[in-house]
Amino acid sequence: MAEYVLQAQTLLGGYDQQFGAIRLREITGADLISAAIPQGGEAAIGKELKRLFGCALPSIGKSVIADDVRIIRLGADQLFVLMDERQSGKIPDLKEQLSSVAYLTDQSDSWVMLEIEGQDVRLALERICMLDLDPQTFAIDDLARTLMEHMGAVIVRTSEDRFLLMSASSSALSFLHSVVTSVRNIS
Amino acid sequence: MIQKLRIEGGLINRKSELNFTFNGKVMKGYQGDTLASALLANGRKLVGRSFKYHRPRGIFTAGSEEPNALVQLRSGAFTEPNTRATTAELFEGLEAKSQNHRGSLEFDILAMNDLMAPFLSAGFYYKTFMWPKKFWERFYEPMIRSAAGLGRLSGLEDPDHYDKGFLHCDLLIIGAGPAGLIAALTAGRSGARVILADEDFLMGGRLNSENYEVDGLPGSEWAKQAVDELRSMNNVRLLNRTTIYGAFDHGIYGALERKTDHLADADGKPRQVLWRIYSKRAILCAGSTERSIAFGNNDRPGIMLAGAVRTYANRFGVAAGRKVTVFTNNHDGWQTALDLQKKGVGLAAIIDTRDREPVHMLSGVDIHMGARIVNSAGRKALKSVTLANGQKIETDCLAVAGGWNPNLHLSGHQRGRPQWNENIASFVPGEKLPEGMLVAGAAKGHLTLGATFADAQEMAEHQLEDLGFKPKTGDTPLCTDEDYQINAFWHVAESTQRAWLDLQNDVTTKDVRQSQMEGFRSVEHLKRYTTLGMATDQGKTANINALAVMAELTGKSIEETGTTIYRPPYNPVSLGALAGRSRGKEFRPIRYTPSHQWAEENGAEFVEAGNWLRAQWFTRRGERHWRQSVDREVIQTRRSVGICDVTTLGKIDIQGRDAAEFLNRVYVNGFAKLPVGKCRYGLMLREDGIAYDDGTTARLAENHYVMTTTTANAVLVFQRLEFARQCLWPELDVHLISITDGWSQYAIAGPNSRALLEKVVDQPEQISNEAFPFMGCREITICGGVSARLFRISFSGELAYELAVPRRYGASLMDVLMKAGEEFDVVAYGTEALGVMRIEKGHAAGNELIGQTTALNLGLERMVSTKKDFIGNVLAKRPELCSDDAVKLMGFQPVNRRDVLIAGAHFVASGNPHDLEHDEGWMSSVCHSPTLGYAIGLGFIKSGDKRVGEKVLAVSPVHKQSIEVEIVSPHFVDPEGVRLRG
C-alpha cells in the first residue's frame, strides 16, 4: 500500500436533476478512447471493428452501438469509442486490439459528459445548440461537433428524446450551467 | 375612472378586468387590450410630449409604427423607456408614465421650445451655438444633451433575463395577417416545416381590425380557426409576440420574441428571446402601414390614422372620439366612417381631397369632396378642424387616411431598392430580394383582401414547389374584394401653420423645404439634416410623405427621389436581448484548474488567463502586500521546493508515421532526431517569420509526441497545426488531439523537487539524475499504480519537473504533493512567482512573444536550423529582420538599486532627446527579484548582445520617469544552468 493515495473525482459530483419532464445527469465512470485512423487505414480498422463488435466503420457524423460500446465517427480520421462503467475492465484489451490499426489517445478525462432526456428536450437545446435537431435531419445515432455558449461540444442523439452532450472538462461547470439555464428557461 | 369611451364588441375579454396606472392614476382595461386601447377607453388623449418642441401628443396608430405614444413602462430597475403604448399588452398592475417633459405632462416647461420654433428648425444646432467656441463643449452641448432624448434609463443594472436560440424551418412566414395565415395553411398542409411569426399577440393582422367576412365567417373568427388548425400541426411553429427584425445572408433571419413582457412578473424566466432562424425559403407577409396627410397643426392629440381608429373600434371596442371626422384621399378612409357608424360612434364629417362623387352616402354626416383641412385647434386635445374654405368643424377625433404603404422593409435588407407603384401611390418591393424570399399580399402592394389571399397562396405554392413539396392548396377563401382607389395627396399646400411629417422627430414640411433650399436634396442627406425617419419608429408613418414633399420641391418624381436603404432592425431590439445570457460572469465560459478549490482555500488571488482562472499568488496570514506573498513563494521555491499548477498550458497529442517530419516543419529547430524519452524546447514562427509560440515537445514513442504550448496560444497553435496537417501537407500521416483538459499537470521546482517526487512515484530509482536527466520524459506510475507522465523541464531555472496525471486525480494530487512536501517546507506558487523566476532566468514569455519579434530578437537565432525547411523560414530571412542593429533580448538592472523599473519604458542613450528618432528599444518585462534584492527587467535593445555593461536611460514619459539602467545578460540567475541539471 502506497503511503500516498490519489482519490478520483468526478467533474460535477455525479449531477442528476429532474426538471419537469427533463432529466439532466452527468455520465460518470465512462471511458472514452480516441482512435485516429492512419492514412490508408480505413479498411483495416473497419475489419477490426467487425471482428471486435460485429459492426462496420460508421460514416462521418454517425455512431453505432455495438456490445454496449458506442463508436462515434467524428471526422475522416477520427473515431471515439465510448464505453460505460460496465465495460471498464475491457479497456486494456480494447487498447491492445485497436492499437495495431489506430493511434489511440485516452480522452476519458478530457470531456464532461451530460445526458439530457425528456419530452421537451429539443426546446431546451434550441437555446444553446445551433444545429437542426429535427429527427428528419438529426436522426437517432447522428452526431455533430458544434459550439454551445462559446464552448466546443459534441452532441449525439442517443434516442428520440435523449442526447449525449460532451464538452471540455475544464469548463464543465460553465457547460452544465448553460444547459441547466436552457432547461430552466423553458420549464 | 370608468372606461367612458368603451363601446360594444371587440376581441377583448370583458370578464377579465385589469387595473393599471398611467402617471400614477389608476385606470381599468380588459385582457386583450393594449395600453393604448385602454388609455383611449379611459378617455386619455394626451399621452406624451414631442421630441423637440415638446408639443402635446396623443395616440396616433394601433401598431408598432407608433411615433407618439411612447411611455416609460414598469418602475425601478425594471423600467423601460420608449415603449410603444400601442404594442404594450395590458396586464394587471401595469405601470406606465409619460416621458419627455419637465414638470408634469400637462404643464411641461420645455413646451417653450415650441414658441422658439423659428430658431429651432432643422440643423439649428449646426448653425447656432458657434460662438464663443469654447462654450460648445462646456455649455451648449451639455445643455442640448440634457434636453434631448425621450425616456430615461433607470441607471441600475437590468434585472431581467434574456436568452437566445436557434430555429430551423423550410419556410418562414413573416406576418400572420390574411396573407401569412393562408400561406402557412398551404405550407403546413403540404408537410413543410413552417415558422409563422407575428409581432402582435393576437394573430390575424387586419382580419382582427376590419369587418371582413371570410368563408361566411367574421374575418377574426376565420383567423382564429386558421390559427387553431396551424397549432394542431406538428410541422408548424407559431411565434406570436415575435418581430422578425432582420433578413441576413443565406436565409437567416433575426427574430425577437417577447416572452414575458405581457406578464406582471417574469418569474425568473427570460423576458425576451433573440432567435436566429435558419430558413430555406421565406415569404414576407408583413402587410402595410397607413400614412397621414400633412396639414397645419396636424399633430394634436386626437388626430390619428383612420385605420387605427377602425382597429380601436372593431378589435378593442373603443371609440377614439365621440364626434369623429375622417380626412381621406382614398376609398379606405370611408370604411372608417362606415365602421364607426355601424358601432354607433358619432361622425362629424368626411373630408375627401378628391373632387368626385362621394364614395358612400352617410346620413347625418357632412361630406366635403375636393376639400382640405388647413388647420386644427385644441391644445391638449383636438377640438376642431378648419377647412381651406374657412369652415370650422367641431370634432374630437380626426381619422386621417393618406393611403397605405406596403411594409417592404425586410425585402430591402440586402440593399434591394423598392419600386414605385402608381396604382397605390407607394413603393413596392423591387426585384432584388434577399435570397429565398418572396413577398406576398399587402406587403407587395395587394391592398385588398381577395387579392392578398390569392397572391399569398400562389407565393406559398411557388416556394413549396421550389423546396420539392407538392402543395396542398385548399380553396382560396371566399371574401369580398374591397374597392381601393387613391389619388395621391401628401400635404395641404394652403396651410400656413407648421405641418408635421415625422411626428416622432418633429420634422415638418418646412424642414424639408429648408433642407432642399440648403442643398441637402438627396434622400440620405434629407434624413441626416432633418432627422427624418430616425428613432424608434424609423419613419414608418413619415418617410414616404416627406419624400413626396422633397420630390415636389425638386421637380423630380418620387421614384427618382428614392428611399434610404432599409436596414435591420425593423423594430427596436433591446440591448439586453442582443446580449442574451452573455452578461457578467456568464460573458464567457470559465475554465478551472484542478487545484482551484485548494487554491481558494489557501488564500489565492486569481487572474484570468484566456478563459482560465489561475492563482496569481497565495496570501498567508500577516502578508499585507502581494509582493510579500510573491517574494516568499520565490525564495522558498529556490531554497527548497515549490509547486505550481501548470495544467493551463496547451497539451497536444501528436501521433502518426510522419509526426517527426511534421514537427520538423513547424518548429524552427530540428525534431526528427529527438530520442524517445526526451523533451526539446521549440520555437514556432508565423509564415512572415515572426515568432508566435514556444514550448517543449516530448517524444513518448517512435510515432507519439506531446507538445506543450503557452496557455494563451493553446487554441491558436492547435488551429494552425490542423491547418498545416490538413491543407499544407495532407500527404503526411499525422493526427492531432488536444489533451489539455485530460491531464492535470504540476510544476515541481526547487532543489528538493526530486526528493519530494521520490515520495510519490512508485519506482523512485526511475527518476535519479542518471536515470532521468535534464529534458527527460517518461510514463510512470505514482501513488500505487496511477498512470502519470513526468517531464524534467524547468521554467524557473531550478531542478524541476512537470508531473501530469489524468484529470480525475488532479485535485487529489495537489493535496498529496503538499502533504508529501511538508518535510521540505514546500510552497505553492502562483503565476506571479512563476513570472519572477522566469525573468530571473531570462526566459521569454507572452511579453516577449508579441507578434513583432523574431528568433534573432529573442536571442534564439542559434536554434534556427539551416538544414531544413519550416514555416516562416523564408520570410524570417528578410534583410529588415536580420539587420546588424536588430534589437536583442537583454537583461536590465537599475544603476541605482532602489529604482523600480517600468515595463513599456523605452531605451534612449543618455543625453539624447526622448523621441522616436532616438528610441533604441523597450523594456518588456520587469519584476522585483527577491533573489537579487532589486528590480530587474528583460527588454529589447538595438545590438544588445554587443553592449553588455553599457548604461542607457529607460524612459517612460507617461510615468514621467527616466531611470538609468545597465545592460546585462538576460540570465540573472544560474546562467550556466548548473541548478537545473543537478
Side-chain angles (χ1 to χ4, degrees):
Chain A
M1 183 73 186
E3 187 184 350
Y4 299 100
V5 178
L6 292 177
Q7 306 291 335
Q9 226 177 49
T10 59
L11 285 161
L12 303 169
Y15 184 91
D16 192 343
Q17 288 284 319
Q18 192 79 34
F19 301 86
I22 293 179
R23 182 184 179 195
L24 178 65
R25 70 181 186 100
E26 180 190 10
I27 294 178
T28 57
D31 282 295
L32 185 68
I33 309 292
S34 158
I37 306 169
Q39 273 196 356
E42 225 175 272
I45 196 165
K47 207 169 150 187
E48 197 58 25
L49 289 178
K50 192 90 189 160
R51 187 180 72 78
L52 288 170
F53 304 110
C55 68
L57 179 67
S59 52
I60 298 166
K62 301 279 176 193
S63 67
V64 290
I65 283 264
D67 254 2
D68 288 338
V69 172
R70 184 174 286 278
I71 298 158
I72 298 167
R73 182 84 182 272
L74 283 156
D77 69 341
Q78 194 171 54
L79 280 182
F80 275 4
V81 181
L82 177 63
M83 309 169 85
D84 65 22
E85 59 267 44
R86 290 168 298 175
Q87 311 288 326
S88 57
K90 296 183 187 168
I91 293 290
D93 277 355
L94 181 74
K95 281 185 175 172
E96 180 79 33
Q97 285 156 332
L98 281 180
S99 62
S100 59
V101 290
Y103 303 112
L104 304 180
T105 310
D106 196 323
Q107 287 280 299
S108 310
D109 288 28
S110 293
W111 301 81
V112 60
M113 295 182 215
L114 295 175
E115 186 180 80
I116 184 167
E117 181 176 19
Q119 206 184 335
D120 292 334
V121 69
R122 275 168 55 204
L123 292 179
L125 288 175
E126 72 190 11
R127 297 293 176 92
I128 43 170
C129 178
M130 68 182 84
L131 302 174
D132 186 1
L133 299 179
D134 186 274
Q136 305 282 326
T137 51
F138 198 76
I140 293 171
D141 295 335
D142 280 4
L143 65 105
R145 268 182 183 272
T146 183
L147 272 179
M148 295 187 193
E149 291 289 290
H150 310 288
M151 287 170 275
V154 173
I155 178 168
V156 186
R157 181 179 222 132
T158 52
S159 80
E160 177 68 25
D161 287 327
R162 190 172 65 228
F163 294 84
L164 167 68
L165 310 177
M166 296 165 51
S167 189
S169 60
S170 60
S171 45
L173 283 171
S174 292
F175 191 65
L176 174 68
H177 177 74
S178 70
V179 181
V180 168
T181 305
S182 302
V183 177
R184 287 211 172 115
N185 281 355
I186 62 142
S187 56
Chain B
M1 190 174 184
I2 54 162
Q3 300 181 50
K4 58 186 181 182
L5 288 177
R6 188 70 75 176
I7 55 174
E8 62 171 27
L11 305 174
I12 49 172
N13 180 4
R14 288 171 197 260
K15 287 179 190 159
S16 176
E17 196 176 55
L18 304 171
N19 296 293
F20 71 102
T21 62
F22 181 70
N23 285 346
K25 195 166 191 173
V26 179
M27 300 184 187
K28 290 186 188 298
Y30 295 115
Q31 188 186 44
D33 263 327
T34 60
L35 174 60
S37 68
L39 285 169
L40 282 174
N42 284 276
R44 186 82 211 184
K45 289 273 165 87
L46 172 64
V47 297
R49 290 277 173 169
S50 73
F51 178 61
K52 193 159 76 172
Y53 301 128
H54 288 251
R55 301 259 297 182
R57 289 284 167 81
I59 293 156
F60 187 60
T61 73
S64 63
E65 68 272 26
E66 176 62 31
N68 280 347
L70 304 181
V71 297
Q72 193 95 27
L73 211 64
R74 301 181 193 255
S75 58
F78 287 96
T79 195
E80 185 168 66
N82 305 335
T83 307
R84 287 150 292 172
T86 48
T87 58
E89 217 171 319
L90 202 66
F91 56 82
E92 178 64 30
L94 177 148
E95 289 176 74
K97 292 187 187 76
S98 56
Q99 52 186 38
N100 202 37
H101 45 81
R102 293 244 176 107
S104 70
L105 172 61
E106 279 74 18
F107 301 99
D108 177 8
I109 295 163
L110 286 177
M112 66 184 178
N113 284 3
D114 201 28
L115 302 172
M116 296 164 68
F119 304 104
L120 299 177
S121 59
F124 73 94
Y125 48 90
Y126 301 138
K127 301 171 194 165
T128 49
F129 308 119
M130 301 298 284
W131 182 89
K133 201 176 169 186
K134 63 182 174 188
F135 267 43
W136 174 251
E137 269 190 28
R138 289 184 192 169
F139 181 66
Y140 298 140
E141 207 216 5
M143 185 184 77
I144 293 171
R145 278 199 184 280
S146 141
L150 291 166
R152 291 277 178 263
L153 295 168
S154 71
L156 303 168
E157 192 180 339
D158 185 353
D160 279 312
H161 299 280
Y162 300 84
D163 207 354
K164 292 189 183 182
F166 308 88
L167 298 174
H168 302 258
C169 62
D170 294 318
L171 185 61
L172 169 67
I173 297 167
I174 303 158
L181 287 176
I182 198 69
L185 285 171
T186 306
R189 288 167 184 160
S190 308
R193 290 170 66 199
V194 178
I195 292 175
L196 175 63
D198 195 287
E199 62 180 357
D200 204 331
F201 53 93
L202 184 67
M203 288 189 162
R206 291 301 299 177
L207 291 171
N208 296 324
S209 292
E210 308 285 2
N211 276 316
Y212 292 138
E213 193 176 287
V214 183
D215 284 342
L217 296 168
S220 59
E221 185 54 33
W222 183 90
K224 184 176 177 300
Q225 289 187 9
V227 171
D228 287 345
E229 182 183 341
L230 290 166
R231 191 172 287 120
S232 71
M233 296 179 188
N234 287 332
N235 54 327
V236 176
R237 179 134 177 188
L238 300 178
L239 293 175
N240 59 344
R241 300 187 180 97
T242 302
T243 306
I244 306 293
Y245 66 80
F248 302 96
D249 289 346
H250 313 298
I252 293 174
Y253 290 81
L256 180 74
E257 184 178 7
R258 290 169 293 277
K259 283 276 188 187
T260 64
D261 282 358
H262 61 293
L263 302 175
D265 182 1
D267 196 24
K269 296 284 183 281
R271 182 190 157 208
Q272 297 174 344
V273 177
L274 197 80
W275 295 107
R276 186 192 296 176
I277 301 178
Y278 297 84
S279 72
K280 290 178 185 161
R281 297 286 185 279
I283 307 179
L284 180 65
C285 303
S288 53
T289 299
E290 199 171 21
R291 65 190 181 223
S292 186
I293 298 170
F295 61 88
N297 289 312
N298 61 332
D299 65 330
R300 299 191 190 282
I303 300 179
M304 302 171 68
L305 291 174
V309 172
R310 220 149 70 214
T311 299
Y312 287 116
N314 293 332
R315 175 172 167 183
F316 297 105
V318 174
R322 289 203 167 93
K323 208 172 173 192
V324 180
T325 298
V326 173
F327 182 33
T328 185
N329 64 358
N330 63 79
H331 278 34
D332 190 61
W334 290 77
Q335 192 61 46
T336 303
L338 291 174
D339 285 8
L340 292 179
Q341 198 171 53
K342 202 170 161 189
K343 289 268 184 184
V345 178
L347 286 172
I350 298 175
I351 301 145
D352 196 322
T353 58
R354 300 171 296 177
D355 199 3
R356 51 160 289 163
E357 289 296 304
V359 180
H360 300 281
M361 294 309 296
L362 287 96
S363 62
V365 181
D366 282 347
I367 294 175
H368 302 265
M369 300 306 294
R372 288 122 168 76
I373 296 176
V374 291
N375 202 358
S376 73
R379 215 169 80 77
K380 293 174 191 167
L382 181 68
K383 287 183 178 154
S384 66
V385 293
T386 307
L387 303 187
N389 64 8
Q391 187 183 341
K392 198 172 179 182
I393 298 168
E394 302 289 325
T395 184
D396 63 349
C397 172
L398 182 71
V400 186
W404 293 81
N405 296 324
N407 287 331
L408 48 79
H409 309 67
L410 269 79
S411 74
H413 277 187
Q414 284 164 33
R415 296 192 77 83
R417 292 282 191 174
Q419 295 169 346
W420 185 252
N421 181 327
E422 199 58 47
N423 290 333
I424 61 166
S426 193
F427 281 102
V428 294
E431 284 166 15
K432 184 177 178 287
L433 295 171
E435 197 181 329
M437 179 195 276
L438 289 177
V439 187
K444 199 171 160 187
H446 296 291
L447 296 182
T448 60
L449 186 60
T452 285
F453 274 135
D455 182 52
Q457 257 183 333
E458 191 188 328
M459 292 304 106
E461 285 166 19
H462 190 284
Q463 294 290 48
L464 290 166
E465 279 165 6
D466 226 25
L467 288 165
F469 290 94
K470 199 172 170 196
K472 287 187 184 162
T473 313
D475 293 335
T476 304
L478 284 173
C479 60
T480 48
D481 216 10
E482 325 88 279
D483 186 13
Y484 183 76
Q485 292 178 33
I486 182 170
N487 286 9
F489 189 89
W490 310 104
H491 69 113
V492 179
E494 297 95 320
S495 285
T496 54
Q497 306 293 313
R498 278 174 295 163
W500 268 260
L501 292 162
D502 186 330
L503 293 170
Q504 184 155 92
N505 293 290
D506 272 338
V507 180
T508 64
T509 50
K510 281 182 183 171
D511 292 319
V512 176
R513 197 172 304 125
Q514 186 176 339
S515 177
Q516 184 266 338
M517 282 164 57
E518 296 188 4
F520 297 97
R521 287 163 202 160
S522 129
V523 61
E524 302 285 359
H525 287 158
L526 171 66
K527 174 172 179 166
R528 271 97 197 153
Y529 191 68
T530 63
T531 68
L532 170 83
M534 293 184 179
T536 61
D537 70 341
Q538 290 287 292
K540 289 189 179 68
T541 59
N543 287 347
I544 305 297
N545 294 52
L547 294 178
V549 173
M550 179 56 95
E552 229 175 76
L553 292 166
T554 53
K556 287 182 181 172
S557 69
I558 298 174
E559 185 159 32
E560 282 170 331
T561 305
T563 66
T564 53
I565 293 284
Y566 293 97
R567 294 189 183 90
Y570 170 68
N571 271 334
V573 177
S574 63
L575 290 174
L578 292 170
R581 299 180 193 175
S582 303
R583 291 167 47 169
K585 284 186 176 173
E586 291 183 59
F587 185 67
R588 54 185 168 206
I590 298 172
R591 301 177 79 182
Y592 291 102
T593 62
S595 65
H596 187 84
Q597 195 183 339
W598 186 94
E600 265 185 335
E601 291 164 1
N602 285 274
E605 288 291 327
F606 293 98
V607 62
E608 289 180 11
N611 288 342
W612 291 97
L613 282 185
R614 298 190 75 181
Q616 276 181 291
W617 62 82
F618 300 85
T619 307
R620 281 198 185 161
R621 187 172 295 174
E623 290 174 346
R624 297 207 178 110
H625 190 277
W626 65 271
R627 249 213 34 218
Q628 290 176 301
S629 311
V630 174
D631 287 357
R632 170 181 50 77
E633 290 168 15
V634 171
I635 290 165
Q636 221 166 316
T637 299
R638 292 217 185 276
R639 197 187 63 216
S640 181
V641 58
I643 293 167
C644 183
D645 190 333
V646 293
T647 303
T648 61
L649 294 174
K651 299 183 276 292
I652 303 170
D653 194 81
I654 302 170
Q655 297 194 63
R657 294 187 297 269
D658 300 314
E661 174 59 21
F662 179 76
L663 289 170
N664 236 14
R665 295 184 190 185
V666 297
Y667 277 128
V668 299
N669 45 331
F671 271 77
K673 291 178 184 163
L674 178 70
V676 173
K678 280 286 185 186
C679 306
R680 184 167 288 170
Y681 173 78
L683 180 72
M684 286 185 221
L685 307 185
R686 302 190 307 220
E687 287 82 349
D688 62 0
I690 301 291
Y692 88 96
D693 203 67
D694 66 347
T696 55
T697 289
R699 190 170 200 170
L700 296 179
E702 182 63 23
N703 294 328
H704 188 187
Y705 295 80
V706 172
M707 173 188 282
T708 60
T709 72
T710 58
T711 299
N713 281 338
V715 174
L716 178 71
V717 171
F718 194 94
Q719 284 172 338
R720 292 176 69 98
L721 294 185
E722 271 295 339
F723 176 79
R725 164 184 105 86
Q726 293 185 39
C727 306
L728 300 182
W729 314 307
E731 70 283 3
L732 297 185
D733 181 45
V734 185
H735 308 270
L736 311 172
I737 190 161
S738 170
I739 52 168
T740 305
D741 284 29
W743 292 84
S744 300
Q745 197 152 316
Y746 292 93
I748 302 154
N752 282 321
S753 54
R754 186 186 296 122
L756 192 160
L757 271 176
E758 282 170 349
K759 293 177 73 175
V760 296
V761 302
D762 290 340
Q763 293 173 278
E765 67 278 8
Q766 283 183 327
I767 63 166
S768 69
N769 200 28
E770 296 70 33
F772 195 61
F774 183 56
M775 297 308 268
C777 69
R778 71 190 314 162
E779 293 181 285
I780 58 168
T781 61
I782 65 169
C783 298
V786 172
S787 300
R789 287 173 177 173
L790 189 64
F791 309 88
R792 188 168 163 189
I793 50 181
S794 175
F795 198 43
S796 58
E798 297 296 328
L799 167 68
Y801 301 83
E802 287 189 14
L803 176 63
V805 290
R807 191 269 317 146
R808 70 186 71 179
Y809 299 114
S812 181
L813 182 59
M814 186 68 188
D815 290 330
V816 162
L817 290 174
M818 292 306 290
K819 197 168 173 213
E822 274 172 8
E823 66 174 284
F824 308 109
D825 198 17
V826 65
V827 66
Y829 64 94
T831 53
E832 279 299 322
L834 182 87
V836 169
M837 287 191 276
R838 73 96 190 165
I839 294 171
E840 289 179 338
K841 182 63 185 169
H843 282 153
N847 286 15
E848 284 72 41
L849 298 168
I850 53 170
Q852 296 173 18
T853 49
T854 62
L856 178 68
N857 300 143
L858 292 162
L860 300 173
E861 67 275 20
R862 283 194 297 276
M863 262 176 67
V864 180
S865 170
T866 53
K867 295 174 185 158
K868 60 163 191 152
D869 198 10
F870 56 88
I871 292 174
N873 184 26
V874 173
L875 291 179
K877 292 173 185 160
R878 282 178 285 167
E880 294 78 8
L881 298 184
C882 308
S883 61
D884 288 342
D885 66 346
V887 294
K888 295 284 176 65
L889 182 67
M890 298 303 293
F892 296 87
Q893 57 192 26
V895 173
N896 178 349
R897 295 289 195 253
R898 279 172 300 182
D899 281 342
V900 176
L901 300 179
I902 292 176
H906 279 248
F907 301 122
V908 180
S910 184
N912 276 345
H914 301 174
D915 56 20
L916 270 180
E917 203 182 328
H918 299 89
D919 182 16
E920 297 198 48
W922 69 97
M923 190 89 83
S924 53
S925 300
V926 297
C927 70
H928 170 80
S929 166
T931 313
L932 300 173
Y934 52 85
I936 57 169
L938 296 177
F940 295 90
I941 189 163
K942 286 178 182 174
S943 310
D945 52 338
K946 296 170 196 145
R947 297 168 66 179
V948 173
E950 194 180 316
K951 295 182 178 67
V952 292
L953 292 178
V955 177
S956 177
V958 177
H959 300 91
K960 296 187 172 58
Q961 200 187 63
S962 174
I963 292 171
E964 194 178 17
V965 293
E966 183 186 348
I967 304 172
V968 295
S969 154
H971 311 295
F972 293 93
V973 170
D974 189 26
E976 293 81 24
V978 175
R979 295 187 193 181
L980 49 81
R981 290 184 173 80

